[in-house]
Amino acid sequence: MQLVWATDVHLNFTHLEERLAFYDSLKKEGDAILITGDIGEHNSAAKYLKQMHKCTGLPVYFVLGNHDFYGGTIYAAYRNIRYMTANHPQIVWLRDIKEPLWLTEDTILCGVDGWADGRYGDYAHSPVRLNDSVYIKELAEARQSCLLLEEMQRLADRDASILKKQLQAAVKLSPKQILIATHIPPYDFMATYRGEKTHPYYLPFYSSKALSDVLTPFLDAHPKILFKIIAGHTHGEMRVQFKPHVTAMVGGAEYYRPQVNHVFEV
């Protein structure tokens, strides 16, 4: 089976003919599709996922990115996505899966959206604030109340707890391989751009220590399982095998140019 992966496609910045060309490239490359977030925005992510599935005829597995909440509330975005997936069983939001998802007899796919949590880098002295705290209602309200970091960490911790439950269920089944999809890179070393490490002022907004704290014990305890950690968000391509059985990948991306990042043979 070939699982074709793309990330940070930002389809709201494209015209229909550009989207159709992108969908055609997905169909040519794979038997199923994995998207690791930043599909569109609050009012368009579900629409683009349906369009992608309709045009390719392939199963679509996805997590949401921070941009997929822009222009609305997190609660409303979750509601819209759940309504859409309930009516399209081949479009699967990984954060909502109830049991391990076998791609093949050897490989399980799991994942969560993930949220940057300010725990890596130097949040206390950082002058950086992303548009998340302008265009996502819950984060905008938290910023106005001087509670932005607390809200970031609450969201990150909630998704990390979901991933922990998914991994607990997955490792019990002893697969040969587990693919872990998330929008936010779990480890600080995964957050790069143009080959350079992310500055400590930016790192709090481009990584999730909550996710790495969940992942590390599973990676250490199961050396016979191959793990691939697949992320987006930074737009900076990177790949590193940081343990003999663990590979971490972040997909490169450019606005206005959605592309296939990788094809996994599973």
Side-chain angles (χ1 to χ4, degrees), residues 33-114:
I33 298 166
L34 174 64
I35 305 290
T36 49
D38 281 3
I39 300 150
E41 292 187 343
H42 174 270
N43 62 355
S44 61
K47 175 185 73 175
Y48 292 135
L49 288 165
K50 288 189 292 183
Q51 188 179 70
M52 186 183 301
H53 172 59
K54 182 178 180 180
C55 291
T56 63
L58 301 178
V60 179
Y61 306 106
F62 72 96
V63 296
L64 297 173
N66 52 312
H67 280 253
D68 297 315
F69 301 95
Y70 278 21
T73 69
I74 296 168
Y75 171 80
Y78 286 172
R79 181 189 61 206
N80 293 343
I81 289 294
R82 287 189 174 115
Y83 179 82
M84 183 272 293
T85 55
N87 290 283
H88 297 83
Q90 284 201 305
I91 307 176
V92 179
W93 185 24
L94 295 176
R95 186 183 185 274
D96 249 16
I97 58 176
K98 305 304 180 187
E99 57 187 24
L101 194 163
W102 289 94
L103 289 177
T104 67
E105 62 183 11
D106 296 328
T107 301
I108 289 175
L109 174 64
C110 57
V112 293
D113 310 335

Coordinates of all heavy atoms in Angstrom, one line a residue, residues 33-114:
I33 N -4.5 8.8 1.4 CA -3.9 10.1 1.6 C -3.8 10.4 3.1 O -4.7 10.1 3.8 CB -4.8 11.2 0.9 CG1 -4.9 10.9 -0.6 CG2 -4.3 12.6 1.2 CD1 -6.0 11.7 -1.3
L34 N -2.7 11.0 3.5 CA -2.5 11.5 4.8 C -2.2 13.0 4.7 O -1.3 13.4 4.0 CB -1.3 10.8 5.5 CG -0.9 11.3 6.9 CD1 -2.1 11.2 7.9 CD2 0.3 10.6 7.4
I35 N -3.0 13.8 5.4 CA -2.8 15.3 5.5 C -2.5 15.7 6.9 O -3.3 15.4 7.8 CB -4.0 16.0 5.0 CG1 -4.4 15.5 3.6 CG2 -3.8 17.5 5.0 CD1 -3.4 15.9 2.5
T36 N -1.4 16.3 7.2 CA -1.0 16.7 8.6 C -1.3 18.2 8.8 O -0.4 18.9 9.3 CB 0.4 16.3 8.9 OG1 1.3 16.7 7.9 CG2 0.5 14.8 9.1
G37 N -2.5 18.6 8.5 CA -3.0 19.9 9.0 C -2.7 21.1 8.0 O -2.1 21.0 7.0
D38 N -3.4 22.2 8.4 CA -3.4 23.5 7.6 C -3.9 23.2 6.2 O -3.3 23.4 5.2 CB -2.0 24.1 7.6 CG -1.7 24.9 8.9 OD1 -2.6 24.9 9.8 OD2 -0.7 25.6 9.0
I39 N -5.2 22.7 6.3 CA -5.9 22.3 5.0 C -6.5 23.6 4.4 O -6.4 23.8 3.2 CB -6.9 21.3 5.3 CG1 -6.3 20.0 5.9 CG2 -7.8 20.9 4.1 CD1 -7.1 19.2 6.9
G40 N -7.1 24.4 5.3 CA -7.8 25.6 4.9 C -7.9 26.5 6.1 O -7.0 26.7 6.9
E41 N -9.1 27.0 6.3 CA -9.5 27.7 7.5 C -10.8 27.2 8.1 O -11.3 26.2 7.6 CB -9.5 29.2 7.3 CG -8.2 29.8 6.9 CD -8.2 31.3 6.7 OE1 -9.3 31.9 6.6 OE2 -7.1 31.9 6.8
H42 N -11.3 27.8 9.2 CA -12.4 27.4 9.9 C -13.6 27.0 9.0 O -14.3 26.0 9.1 CB -12.8 28.4 10.9 CG -14.1 28.1 11.7 ND1 -15.3 28.5 11.2 CD2 -14.3 27.5 12.8 CE1 -16.3 28.1 12.0 NE2 -15.7 27.5 13.0
N43 N -13.8 27.9 8.0 CA -15.0 27.8 7.2 C -14.8 27.0 5.9 O -15.7 26.9 5.0 CB -15.6 29.2 6.8 CG -14.6 30.0 6.0 OD1 -13.5 29.6 5.8 ND2 -15.0 31.2 5.5
S44 N -13.6 26.4 5.7 CA -13.3 25.8 4.5 C -12.6 24.4 4.6 O -12.6 23.7 3.6 CB -12.4 26.7 3.6 OG -11.2 27.0 4.2
A45 N -12.0 24.1 5.7 CA -11.2 22.8 5.8 C -12.1 21.6 5.5 O -11.6 20.7 4.7 CB -10.6 22.7 7.2
A46 N -13.3 21.5 6.0 CA -14.2 20.4 5.7 C -14.5 20.3 4.3 O -14.5 19.2 3.6 CB -15.4 20.5 6.6
K47 N -14.8 21.5 3.6 CA -15.1 21.5 2.2 C -14.0 21.0 1.4 O -14.2 20.2 0.4 CB -15.4 23.0 1.8 CG -15.7 23.2 0.3 CD -15.8 24.6 0.0 CE -14.5 25.4 0.1 NZ -14.7 26.8 -0.4
Y48 N -12.7 21.3 1.7 CA -11.6 20.9 0.9 C -11.3 19.4 1.1 O -10.9 18.7 0.2 CB -10.3 21.7 1.2 CG -10.4 23.1 0.8 CD1 -10.0 24.2 1.7 CD2 -10.9 23.5 -0.4 CE1 -10.1 25.5 1.3 CE2 -11.0 24.8 -0.8 CZ -10.6 25.8 0.0 OH -10.6 27.1 -0.4
L49 N -11.6 18.9 2.3 CA -11.4 17.5 2.5 C -12.4 16.7 1.7 O -12.1 15.6 1.1 CB -11.5 17.1 4.0 CG -10.4 17.6 4.9 CD1 -10.8 17.6 6.4 CD2 -9.1 16.7 4.7
K50 N -13.6 17.1 1.7 CA -14.7 16.4 0.8 C -14.3 16.5 -0.6 O -14.4 15.5 -1.4 CB -16.0 17.1 1.1 CG -16.6 16.8 2.4 CD -18.1 17.2 2.6 CE -18.2 18.7 2.6 NZ -19.6 19.1 2.8
Q51 N -13.8 17.7 -1.1 CA -13.4 17.8 -2.5 C -12.3 16.9 -2.8 O -12.3 16.3 -3.9 CB -13.1 19.3 -2.7 CG -12.8 19.7 -4.1 CD -12.4 21.2 -4.2 OE1 -11.4 21.6 -3.8 NE2 -13.4 22.0 -4.8
M52 N -11.3 16.8 -1.9 CA -10.1 16.0 -2.1 C -10.6 14.5 -2.3 O -10.1 13.8 -3.2 CB -9.2 16.1 -0.9 CG -7.9 15.4 -1.1 SD -6.9 15.6 0.4 CE -6.7 17.4 0.6
H53 N -11.4 14.1 -1.4 CA -11.9 12.7 -1.4 C -12.7 12.4 -2.7 O -12.5 11.4 -3.4 CB -12.7 12.4 -0.2 CG -13.4 11.1 -0.3 ND1 -12.7 9.9 -0.4 CD2 -14.7 10.7 -0.2 CE1 -13.6 8.9 -0.4 NE2 -14.8 9.4 -0.3
K54 N -13.6 13.4 -3.1 CA -14.4 13.2 -4.3 C -13.5 13.1 -5.5 O -13.8 12.3 -6.4 CB -15.4 14.3 -4.4 CG -16.3 14.2 -5.6 CD -17.4 15.4 -5.6 CE -18.3 15.2 -6.8 NZ -19.3 16.3 -6.8
C55 N -12.5 14.0 -5.6 CA -11.7 14.1 -6.8 C -10.7 12.9 -6.9 O -10.3 12.6 -8.1 CB -11.0 15.4 -6.9 SG -12.1 16.8 -7.1
T56 N -10.3 12.3 -5.8 CA -9.3 11.2 -5.9 C -10.0 9.9 -5.7 O -9.4 8.9 -6.2 CB -8.3 11.4 -4.8 OG1 -8.9 11.3 -3.5 CG2 -7.5 12.7 -4.9
G57 N -11.1 9.8 -5.0 CA -11.7 8.5 -4.7 C -10.9 7.7 -3.7 O -11.2 6.5 -3.5
L58 N -10.0 8.3 -3.0 CA -9.1 7.7 -2.1 C -9.5 8.0 -0.6 O -10.1 9.0 -0.4 CB -7.7 8.1 -2.2 CG -7.0 7.8 -3.6 CD1 -5.6 8.4 -3.6 CD2 -7.1 6.4 -4.0
P59 N -9.3 7.0 0.3 CA -9.5 7.4 1.7 C -8.5 8.5 2.1 O -7.4 8.6 1.6 CB -9.1 6.1 2.4 CG -9.1 5.0 1.4 CD -8.8 5.7 0.1
V60 N -9.1 9.4 2.9 CA -8.3 10.6 3.4 C -8.2 10.5 4.9 O -9.2 10.5 5.6 CB -9.0 11.9 3.0 CG1 -8.1 13.1 3.5 CG2 -9.1 12.0 1.5
Y61 N -7.0 10.4 5.4 CA -6.7 10.4 6.9 C -6.1 11.8 7.2 O -5.2 12.2 6.4 CB -5.8 9.3 7.3 CG -6.3 8.0 6.9 CD1 -5.7 7.3 5.8 CD2 -7.4 7.3 7.5 CE1 -6.1 6.0 5.4 CE2 -7.8 6.1 7.1 CZ -7.2 5.4 6.0 OH -7.6 4.2 5.6
F62 N -6.5 12.5 8.2 CA -6.0 13.8 8.5 C -6.0 14.2 9.9 O -6.7 13.6 10.8 CB -6.9 14.8 7.7 CG -8.3 15.0 8.3 CD1 -8.5 16.1 9.2 CD2 -9.3 14.2 8.0 CE1 -9.8 16.3 9.7 CE2 -10.6 14.3 8.5 CZ -10.8 15.4 9.4
V63 N -5.2 15.2 10.2 CA -5.3 15.9 11.5 C -5.4 17.4 11.1 O -5.1 17.8 10.0 CB -4.0 15.7 12.4 CG1 -3.9 14.3 12.8 CG2 -2.7 16.2 11.7
L64 N -5.9 18.2 12.0 CA -6.1 19.6 11.8 C -4.8 20.4 12.2 O -4.1 20.0 13.1 CB -7.3 20.1 12.5 CG -8.6 19.5 12.1 CD1 -9.7 20.0 13.0 CD2 -9.0 19.9 10.6
G65 N -4.6 21.5 11.5 CA -3.6 22.4 11.9 C -4.1 23.7 12.5 O -5.3 23.9 12.5
N66 N -3.3 24.6 13.0 CA -3.7 25.8 13.7 C -4.6 26.7 12.7 O -5.6 27.3 13.1 CB -2.6 26.6 14.2 CG -1.4 26.8 13.2 OD1 -1.0 25.9 12.6 ND2 -0.9 28.0 13.2
H67 N -4.2 26.7 11.4 CA -4.9 27.5 10.4 C -6.3 27.0 10.2 O -7.2 27.8 9.8 CB -4.1 27.6 9.1 CG -3.0 28.6 9.1 ND1 -3.1 29.8 8.4 CD2 -1.8 28.5 9.7 CE1 -1.9 30.4 8.6 NE2 -1.1 29.7 9.4
D68 N -6.6 25.8 10.5 CA -7.9 25.2 10.2 C -8.9 25.7 11.3 O -10.1 25.4 11.1 CB -7.8 23.7 10.3 CG -7.0 23.1 9.1 OD1 -7.1 23.6 8.0 OD2 -6.1 22.3 9.4
F69 N -8.4 26.5 12.2 CA -9.3 27.1 13.2 C -9.5 28.6 13.0 O -10.3 29.2 13.7 CB -8.8 26.8 14.6 CG -8.7 25.3 15.0 CD1 -7.5 24.7 14.8 CD2 -9.8 24.6 15.4 CE1 -7.4 23.3 15.1 CE2 -9.7 23.3 15.7 CZ -8.5 22.6 15.5
Y70 N -8.8 29.2 12.1 CA -8.8 30.6 11.9 C -10.2 31.1 11.4 O -10.8 30.5 10.5 CB -7.8 31.0 10.8 CG -6.3 31.2 11.3 CD1 -5.9 30.5 12.5 CD2 -5.4 31.9 10.6 CE1 -4.6 30.7 12.9 CE2 -4.1 32.1 11.0 CZ -3.7 31.4 12.2 OH -2.4 31.5 12.6
G71 N -10.6 32.1 12.1 CA -11.9 32.7 11.8 C -13.1 32.1 12.6 O -14.2 32.4 12.2
G72 N -12.8 31.4 13.6 CA -13.9 30.8 14.4 C -13.4 30.3 15.7 O -12.4 30.7 16.2
T73 N -14.2 29.4 16.3 CA -13.8 28.8 17.6 C -13.4 27.4 17.4 O -13.7 26.7 16.4 CB -15.0 28.8 18.6 OG1 -16.0 27.9 18.1 CG2 -15.6 30.2 18.7
I74 N -12.6 26.9 18.3 CA -12.1 25.5 18.3 C -13.3 24.6 18.4 O -13.5 23.6 17.7 CB -11.1 25.3 19.4 CG1 -9.9 26.1 19.2 CG2 -10.7 23.8 19.5 CD1 -8.9 26.2 20.3
Y75 N -14.3 24.9 19.3 CA -15.4 24.1 19.5 C -16.2 23.9 18.2 O -16.6 22.9 17.8 CB -16.3 24.7 20.6 CG -17.7 24.0 20.7 CD1 -17.8 22.8 21.4 CD2 -18.8 24.6 20.1 CE1 -19.0 22.1 21.5 CE2 -20.0 23.9 20.2 CZ -20.2 22.7 20.9 OH -21.4 22.1 20.9
A76 N -16.5 25.1 17.5 CA -17.2 25.0 16.3 C -16.5 24.2 15.2 O -17.1 23.5 14.4 CB -17.5 26.4 15.8
A77 N -15.2 24.4 15.1 CA -14.4 23.6 14.1 C -14.5 22.1 14.4 O -14.7 21.3 13.4 CB -13.0 24.1 14.1
Y78 N -14.4 21.7 15.6 CA -14.6 20.3 16.0 C -16.0 19.8 15.6 O -16.1 18.7 15.0 CB -14.4 20.1 17.5 CG -13.0 20.2 18.0 CD1 -12.7 20.2 19.3 CD2 -11.9 20.3 17.1 CE1 -11.4 20.2 19.8 CE2 -10.6 20.4 17.6 CZ -10.3 20.3 19.0 OH -9.1 20.4 19.4
R79 N -17.0 20.6 15.8 CA -18.3 20.2 15.5 C -18.5 20.1 14.0 O -19.1 19.1 13.5 CB -19.3 21.3 16.0 CG -20.8 21.0 15.8 CD -21.6 22.2 16.1 NE -21.2 23.4 15.3 CZ -21.4 24.6 15.7 NH1 -21.9 24.9 16.9 NH2 -21.1 25.6 14.9
N80 N -18.0 21.0 13.2 CA -18.1 20.9 11.8 C -17.4 19.7 11.2 O -17.9 19.0 10.3 CB -17.5 22.2 11.1 CG -18.4 23.4 11.4 OD1 -19.5 23.3 11.9 ND2 -17.8 24.6 11.2
I81 N -16.2 19.4 11.7 CA -15.4 18.3 11.2 C -16.1 17.0 11.6 O -16.2 16.1 10.8 CB -14.0 18.4 11.8 CG1 -13.2 19.5 11.2 CG2 -13.2 17.0 11.6 CD1 -12.9 19.4 9.7
R82 N -16.6 16.9 12.8 CA -17.3 15.7 13.2 C -18.6 15.4 12.4 O -18.9 14.3 12.0 CB -17.6 15.7 14.7 CG -16.4 15.5 15.6 CD -16.8 15.3 17.0 NE -15.6 15.0 17.8 CZ -15.1 15.8 18.8 NH1 -15.7 17.0 19.1 NH2 -14.0 15.5 19.4
Y83 N -19.3 16.5 12.1 CA -20.4 16.3 11.2 C -20.1 15.8 9.8 O -20.7 14.9 9.3 CB -21.2 17.7 11.1 CG -22.4 17.6 10.2 CD1 -23.6 17.2 10.7 CD2 -22.3 18.0 8.9 CE1 -24.7 17.1 9.9 CE2 -23.5 18.0 8.1 CZ -24.7 17.5 8.6 OH -25.8 17.5 7.8
M84 N -19.0 16.4 9.3 CA -18.5 16.0 8.0 C -18.1 14.5 7.9 O -18.5 13.7 7.1 CB -17.4 16.9 7.5 CG -16.9 16.7 6.1 SD -15.5 15.4 6.0 CE -14.3 16.4 6.9
T85 N -17.2 14.1 8.9 CA -16.7 12.8 8.9 C -17.8 11.7 9.2 O -17.7 10.6 8.7 CB -15.6 12.6 9.9 OG1 -16.0 13.0 11.2 CG2 -14.4 13.5 9.5
A86 N -18.8 12.1 10.0 CA -19.9 11.2 10.2 C -20.7 10.8 8.9 O -21.2 9.8 8.8 CB -20.9 11.8 11.2
N87 N -20.6 11.8 8.0 CA -21.3 11.5 6.7 C -20.4 11.1 5.6 O -20.9 10.8 4.5 CB -22.1 12.8 6.3 CG -23.2 13.1 7.2 OD1 -24.3 12.5 7.1 ND2 -23.0 14.0 8.1
H88 N -19.1 11.0 5.9 CA -18.1 10.5 4.9 C -17.1 9.6 5.6 O -16.1 10.0 6.0 CB -17.4 11.7 4.3 CG -18.3 12.7 3.5 ND1 -19.0 13.7 4.2 CD2 -18.6 12.8 2.2 CE1 -19.7 14.3 3.2 NE2 -19.4 13.8 2.1
P89 N -17.5 8.3 5.7 CA -16.7 7.4 6.5 C -15.3 7.2 5.9 O -14.4 6.7 6.7 CB -17.5 6.1 6.4 CG -18.5 6.3 5.3 CD -18.7 7.7 5.2
Q90 N -15.0 7.5 4.7 CA -13.6 7.4 4.2 C -12.8 8.6 4.4 O -11.6 8.6 4.0 CB -13.7 7.0 2.7 CG -14.0 5.6 2.4 CD -13.6 5.1 1.1 OE1 -13.9 5.7 0.0 NE2 -12.8 4.0 1.0
I91 N -13.3 9.6 5.1 CA -12.6 10.7 5.5 C -12.4 10.7 7.0 O -13.4 10.8 7.7 CB -13.2 12.1 5.1 CG1 -13.5 12.1 3.6 CG2 -12.3 13.3 5.5 CD1 -14.3 13.3 3.1
V92 N -11.2 10.4 7.5 CA -11.0 10.0 8.9 C -10.2 11.1 9.6 O -9.0 11.3 9.3 CB -10.4 8.6 9.0 CG1 -10.2 8.2 10.5 CG2 -11.2 7.6 8.3
W93 N -10.8 11.7 10.7 CA -10.0 12.6 11.6 C -9.3 11.7 12.6 O -10.0 11.1 13.5 CB -11.0 13.6 12.2 CG -10.4 14.6 13.0 CD1 -9.1 15.1 13.0 CD2 -11.0 15.3 14.1 NE1 -8.9 16.1 13.9 CE2 -10.0 16.3 14.6 CE3 -12.3 15.3 14.6 CZ2 -10.3 17.1 15.6 CZ3 -12.6 16.2 15.7 CH2 -11.6 17.1 16.2
L94 N -8.0 11.6 12.5 CA -7.3 10.7 13.4 C -7.5 11.0 14.9 O -7.4 10.1 15.7 CB -5.8 10.7 13.0 CG -5.5 10.2 11.6 CD1 -4.0 10.4 11.3 CD2 -5.9 8.8 11.5
R95 N -7.6 12.3 15.2 CA -7.8 12.6 16.6 C -9.1 11.9 17.2 O -9.2 11.7 18.4 CB -8.0 14.1 16.8 CG -8.1 14.7 18.2 CD -8.3 16.2 18.2 NE -8.2 16.7 19.5 CZ -9.3 16.8 20.3 NH1 -10.5 16.3 19.9 NH2 -9.1 17.4 21.5
D96 N -10.0 11.6 16.4 CA -11.3 11.1 16.8 C -11.4 9.5 16.7 O -12.5 9.0 17.0 CB -12.4 11.7 16.0 CG -13.3 12.6 16.9 OD1 -12.8 13.0 18.0 OD2 -14.4 13.0 16.5
I97 N -10.4 8.8 16.3 CA -10.5 7.4 16.1 C -10.7 6.7 17.5 O -10.2 7.2 18.5 CB -9.3 6.8 15.4 CG1 -8.0 7.1 16.1 CG2 -9.3 7.3 14.0 CD1 -6.8 6.4 15.5
K98 N -11.6 5.7 17.5 CA -11.9 5.0 18.8 C -11.1 3.8 19.0 O -11.2 3.3 20.1 CB -13.4 4.7 18.8 CG -14.3 5.9 18.5 CD -14.1 7.1 19.5 CE -15.0 8.3 19.2 NZ -14.6 9.4 20.0
E99 N -10.5 3.3 18.0 CA -9.7 2.0 18.2 C -8.5 2.1 17.2 O -8.6 2.9 16.2 CB -10.5 0.8 17.9 CG -11.2 0.8 16.6 CD -12.2 -0.4 16.5 OE1 -12.7 -0.9 17.5 OE2 -12.4 -0.8 15.3
P100 N -7.5 1.3 17.3 CA -6.3 1.4 16.4 C -6.8 1.2 15.0 O -7.6 0.3 14.6 CB -5.5 0.2 16.9 CG -5.8 0.1 18.4 CD -7.3 0.4 18.5
L101 N -6.2 2.0 14.1 CA -6.5 2.0 12.7 C -5.4 1.3 12.0 O -4.3 1.8 11.8 CB -6.6 3.5 12.2 CG -7.3 3.7 10.9 CD1 -7.7 5.2 10.8 CD2 -6.4 3.4 9.7
W102 N -5.7 0.1 11.5 CA -4.8 -0.7 10.7 C -4.8 -0.3 9.3 O -5.8 -0.3 8.6 CB -5.1 -2.2 10.8 CG -4.9 -2.8 12.1 CD1 -5.8 -3.0 13.1 CD2 -3.7 -3.4 12.6 NE1 -5.2 -3.6 14.2 CE2 -3.9 -3.9 13.9 CE3 -2.4 -3.5 12.1 CZ2 -2.9 -4.5 14.7 CZ3 -1.4 -4.2 12.8 CH2 -1.7 -4.6 14.1
L103 N -3.7 0.2 8.8 CA -3.5 0.5 7.3 C -3.3 -0.8 6.6 O -3.8 -1.0 5.5 CB -2.4 1.5 7.1 CG -2.6 2.9 7.5 CD1 -1.3 3.7 7.3 CD2 -3.7 3.5 6.8
T104 N -2.5 -1.7 7.1 CA -2.2 -3.0 6.6 C -2.1 -3.9 7.7 O -2.2 -3.5 8.9 CB -0.9 -3.0 5.8 OG1 0.2 -2.8 6.7 CG2 -0.8 -1.9 4.7
E105 N -1.8 -5.2 7.5 CA -1.7 -6.1 8.6 C -0.5 -5.9 9.5 O -0.4 -6.4 10.6 CB -1.6 -7.6 8.0 CG -0.4 -7.8 7.1 CD -0.4 -9.2 6.5 OE1 -1.4 -9.9 6.6 OE2 0.7 -9.6 6.0
D106 N 0.4 -5.0 9.0 CA 1.7 -4.7 9.8 C 1.7 -3.3 10.4 O 2.5 -3.1 11.3 CB 2.9 -4.8 8.9 CG 3.1 -6.2 8.4 OD1 2.8 -7.2 9.1 OD2 3.6 -6.4 7.2
T107 N 0.9 -2.4 9.9 CA 1.0 -1.0 10.2 C -0.2 -0.4 10.8 O -1.3 -0.5 10.2 CB 1.5 -0.2 9.0 OG1 2.7 -0.8 8.5 CG2 1.7 1.3 9.3
I108 N -0.1 0.3 11.9 CA -1.1 1.1 12.6 C -0.9 2.6 12.4 O 0.3 3.0 12.5 CB -1.3 0.8 14.1 CG1 -1.8 -0.6 14.2 CG2 -2.1 1.8 14.8 CD1 -1.9 -1.1 15.7
L109 N -1.9 3.3 12.1 CA -1.8 4.8 11.9 C -2.6 5.4 13.1 O -3.8 5.1 13.4 CB -2.4 5.2 10.6 CG -2.6 6.8 10.4 CD1 -1.2 7.4 10.3 CD2 -3.3 7.0 9.1
C110 N -2.0 6.4 13.8 CA -2.7 7.1 14.8 C -2.2 8.6 14.7 O -1.3 9.0 13.9 CB -2.4 6.6 16.2 SG -0.7 6.5 16.7
G111 N -2.9 9.5 15.5 CA -2.5 10.9 15.4 C -3.4 11.8 16.1 O -4.6 11.5 16.4
V112 N -3.0 13.0 16.3 CA -3.7 14.1 16.9 C -3.3 15.4 16.2 O -2.2 15.4 15.6 CB -3.6 14.2 18.4 CG1 -4.1 13.0 19.2 CG2 -2.1 14.4 18.8
D113 N -4.1 16.4 16.4 CA -3.7 17.7 15.8 C -2.5 18.3 16.4 O -1.5 18.7 15.8 CB -4.9 18.7 16.0 CG -6.2 18.2 15.5 OD1 -6.3 17.2 14.7 OD2 -7.2 18.7 16.0
G114 N -2.5 18.3 17.8 CA -1.4 18.9 18.5 C -1.4 20.4 18.6 O -2.0 21.0 17.7

